[in-house]
Amino acid sequence: MPVNVLFASLSERWEQYQTPLLEAFSAAGVEADLRDAFPPEQVDYIVYAPNSSVQDFTPYTRCKAVLSLWAGVEAVVDNETLKVPLTRMVDQGLSDGMREWVCGHVLRHHLGMDAHIHGQDGQWRLGAPALAKDRRVVIFGFGVLGQACGEALCDLGFQVYGWSNSQKSHDRIGCFSGAEGFRQSLAHADIAVLLLPWTPDTESLFDANAFAAMPEGAVILNPGRGGLINDTDLIAALDSGHLAHATLDVFRVEPLPADDPFWTHPKVTVTPHIASETRASSAAEVIAENIRRAEAGEPLLFLVDRTKGY
Ligand code: NAP
């Protein structure tokens, strides 16, 4: 008997995912009937994007698990109609993309590339940039993506630190946790990379107090979630000159409205939530493996802890 798998996402994603999912099911030995529409009471698993039309899970009476295509699950984690396990996306393509975006933007600021890209004024100025070994980068949210980025930055020679909920250890990266660890992390952050999930505990974590605790001239990169930052406080910290720049990929409202002050602020770079994207071929393997596991009675990978919110 095949399992019925509903693909609940935008229609353009269906075209992108249908073949990779069917191939991955076949490779994993999962017999599945995959469709983008089913009578709800016939659905066994939902492959899910939180921006799909499925917002009420009540009619999906025999659904065994919801498998998110997104790493960030803040839009679904509090859904009270969802009573079955929820998994989030951990995908090699997502990690690769994030690593490249973070390394690129760290290097931009570290090397002061803007001065040469925008400042070709005929003046021959001496002065080489600092070396990476003399620059401290702190990754706030030292999870799957944070660790991938941190390790790549270590390979480039940066002094890297990671801050997380639970205390971690790493042979090349200094690890902090908890409230005291947060203060220490801020003090080390010549460049701060925000890769935390957006939860009640991380809402506006980066506010005036946090910015004041960062070194003068610090730079913020936010590919995590817009809600991590108090936007008003960020603009004030940039205007005062305490922070040198913010490169923001994610926002409280997306798409970022055309009249948002971030678009025109001289010390802000906006990228349109493109730091990283789930890639169909690798993500399909993760989905197929989780359905295989569920059918075999094995624990699911990347289960969301709904009490923690991520
Ligand atoms: P993850 O593996 O769950 O890592 C999250 C990290 O944050 C973990 O280290 C966790 O600590 C830490 N954390 C959570 N709450 C915390 C708190 N209150 N205090 C301190 N540390 C806390 O998630 P991921 O896969 O790396 O993804 C991270 C986030 O990136 C996602 O939630 C999403 O918002 C964002 N994202 C953005 C894009 C984009 O294109 N811009 C793409 C993908 C993902 P523990 O390790 O101790 O649990």
Side-chain angles (χ1 to χ4, degrees), residues 35-304:
R35 300 188 207 173
D36 64 347
F38 264 115
E41 67 281 3
Q42 292 178 15
V43 171
D44 295 304
Y45 296 95
I46 305 179
V47 178
Y48 187 67
N51 62 352
S52 81
S53 60
V54 176
Q55 298 298 323
D56 179 4
F57 293 95
T58 315
Y60 296 88
T61 45
R62 78 176 209 202
C63 179
K64 299 177 205 170
V66 171
L67 313 163
S68 173
L69 289 167
W70 295 7
V73 289
E74 69 280 350
V76 60
V77 75
D78 291 331
N79 187 322
E80 289 181 0
T81 67
L82 177 59
K83 310 281 189 202
V84 296
L86 169 68
T87 62
R88 66 194 193 85
M89 182 49 66
V90 171
D91 150 50
Q92 190 61 46
L94 206 50
S95 297
D96 290 350
M98 188 60 78
R99 200 178 51 220
E100 291 170 22
W101 187 95
V102 166
C103 287
H105 287 278
V106 165
L107 283 171
R108 168 193 172 193
H109 295 295
H110 166 63
L111 294 173
M113 287 179 175
D114 290 23
H116 301 286
I117 293 169
H118 300 298
Q120 299 212 19
D121 57 2
Q123 301 296 312
W124 188 263
R125 295 184 183 87
L126 296 177
L131 290 176
K133 73 179 181 56
D134 298 318
R135 187 89 62 190
R136 300 166 301 175
V137 184
V138 180
I139 316 278
F140 291 89
F142 198 50
V144 172
L145 298 178
Q147 289 177 37
C149 296
E151 285 164 8
L153 291 165
C154 267
D155 291 344
L156 289 168
F158 288 97
Q159 290 178 43
V160 182
Y161 301 87
W163 181 68
S164 50
N165 229 339
S166 54
Q167 181 60 38
K168 304 203 186 311
S169 67
H170 192 284
D171 55 355
R172 296 188 295 160
I173 296 176
C175 294
F176 296 113
S177 64
E180 178 50 31
F182 185 56
R183 279 187 288 278
Q184 290 175 284
S185 301
L186 291 168
H188 283 72
D190 298 326
I191 300 179
V193 180
L194 315 191
L195 273 169
L196 291 157
W198 185 13
T199 69
D201 289 340
T202 64
E203 161 65 37
S204 294
L205 190 61
F206 293 84
D207 60 6
N209 290 331
F211 300 138
M214 293 173 70
E216 188 81 28
V219 164
I220 292 205
L221 310 183
N222 186 16
R225 281 292 183 264
L228 303 176
I229 288 180
N230 179 316
D231 294 350
T232 309
D233 290 359
L234 174 61
I235 288 183
L238 292 164
D239 287 344
S240 75
H242 183 64
L243 295 184
H245 200 95
T247 295
L248 309 174
D249 184 58
V250 284
F251 305 90
R252 285 177 185 271
V253 177
E254 294 183 9
L256 185 65
D259 60 353
D260 191 287
F262 282 147
W263 282 114
T264 49
H265 197 287
K267 293 182 179 173
V268 174
T269 300
V270 170
T271 65
H273 202 144
I274 45 81
S276 185
E277 189 177 75
T278 306
R279 307 288 159 156
S281 58
S282 43
E285 291 172 15
V286 175
I287 299 282
E289 171 60 10
N290 255 344
I291 294 180
R292 186 202 66 73
R293 283 172 169 254
E295 288 301 298
E298 296 172 21
L300 293 179
L301 300 172
F302 318 128
L303 206 53
V304 172

